[in-house]
Amino acid sequence: VSEREAIAFQAHCDAILQAQTEGIPINRQTRQWIDRLPHDLRDKLQPIFAVDRDVKYWVGRWLSEIAPNVAESTLATISDSLDHLLDAFGTRQIRGIVADELAEWQSGLIGSGLSRSTVGKIGRHVRQFFAWLVDRRVVDESPARGLITSSEVGTKHFIDRATIDRLLEPSALADSEFQLLILLARYAGLRIPSEIRTLRWSDIDRDQKRITIQDAKRQCTREVPLFPELAEVLGQSAS
């Protein structure tokens, strides 16, 4: 490029950085210059342009980019996790987020009543989000690397049959549809509510005593036995 173009380029970059420093909007002339830049050049300058974007903007960009490649249920789960991030930092500019405040924020989630498993899942999704920002050169390094991501599977408890039987007693639970949900979760291992929504009568093979389930996590099908406890209640529901 010519020297004149290079000087103009530097002036516009300085205007962007000055707007960030002073907390004012980028001037109209510089915004028009940004809009005219070729896409490849805009991508190279993303670290500079990012200073004018908040967390909400970049979360939206990331969700839009991953949406075609993940299941709808997975996208909904990730979106729910990032809603917690937006509640705390949505209007903050992305390059101003630091590791210490993210760690403090996650500790607050644990104290708010969320299970450690849920907080670990949120941490995992937030780390994925910031890793994407690093790949896009929006931020130099991820402030989310220290977040807790463990699902703490060991803290889950086995629900024995006796407990289920007590729960299904008419005096405890009169709603037959809710009883069926509990049985499908306990004896067929269906994920609630994602796999209940896709279950159809045609998926139940009474002759072979099998149920075909649309696996919401792995995007495939799996088969489980049609246990007597389920067959009886399903027969009542069908009638």
Side-chain angles (χ1 to χ4, degrees), residues 18-215:
Q18 182 181 5
Q20 163 69 3
T21 302
E22 299 179 3
I24 60 176
I26 296 175
N27 66 64
R28 181 180 178 183
Q29 184 179 5
T30 296
R31 286 195 175 277
Q32 291 175 339
W33 171 78
I34 294 172
D35 292 339
R36 292 194 298 268
L37 285 175
H39 290 296
D40 59 340
L41 187 54
R42 286 179 63 119
D43 287 341
K44 291 180 181 179
L45 293 176
Q46 203 61 255
I48 295 178
F49 297 153
V51 299
D52 193 45
R53 301 294 189 180
D54 57 23
V55 175
K56 182 179 180 179
Y57 169 83
W58 288 110
V59 166
R61 284 283 302 273
W62 185 51
L63 293 177
S64 297
E65 185 168 310
I66 66 174
N69 304 314
V70 299
E72 184 177 345
S73 58
T74 300
L75 184 66
T77 299
I78 295 173
S79 181
D80 288 345
S81 292
L82 293 181
D83 280 344
H84 292 280
L85 182 72
L86 293 177
D87 287 342
F89 303 103
T91 59
R92 291 276 301 277
Q93 292 179 333
I94 194 68
R95 293 171 68 89
I97 306 299
V98 297
D100 287 348
E101 58 185 345
L102 277 182
E104 183 178 353
W105 161 73
Q106 190 177 47
S107 297
L109 291 179
I110 296 175
S112 69
L114 294 177
S115 69
R116 289 184 176 272
S117 177
T118 298
V119 173
K121 178 182 64 178
I122 293 170
R124 183 168 66 254
H125 292 150
V126 171
R127 284 182 64 169
Q128 291 171 350
F129 167 60
F130 275 98
W132 174 80
L133 291 172
V134 172
D135 290 341
R136 296 276 299 184
R137 299 174 61 196
V138 175
V139 297
D140 297 327
E141 60 181 21
S142 171
R145 288 181 299 178
L147 293 183
I148 299 170
T149 60
S150 171
S151 61
E152 297 193 9
V153 175
T155 63
K156 295 183 178 180
H157 301 285
F158 176 76
I159 306 300
D160 59 37
R161 179 167 179 163
T163 301
I164 293 296
D165 289 344
R166 289 198 302 272
L167 180 61
L168 296 179
E169 291 175 358
S171 59
L173 187 63
D175 190 324
S176 59
E177 289 188 359
F178 201 69
Q179 288 181 339
L180 181 57
L181 288 178
I182 293 174
L183 286 169
L184 286 169
R186 175 61 177 82
Y187 292 111
L190 268 73
R191 297 182 176 93
I192 308 295
S194 58
E195 292 178 346
I196 287 291
R197 292 171 177 167
T198 58
L199 187 66
R200 301 290 182 266
W201 285 113
S202 57
D203 296 327
I204 302 171
D205 188 337
R206 296 182 184 278
D207 294 333
Q208 298 297 321
K209 293 182 172 54
R210 310 290 292 179
I211 302 177
T212 300
I213 300 170
Q214 303 296 321
D215 195 307

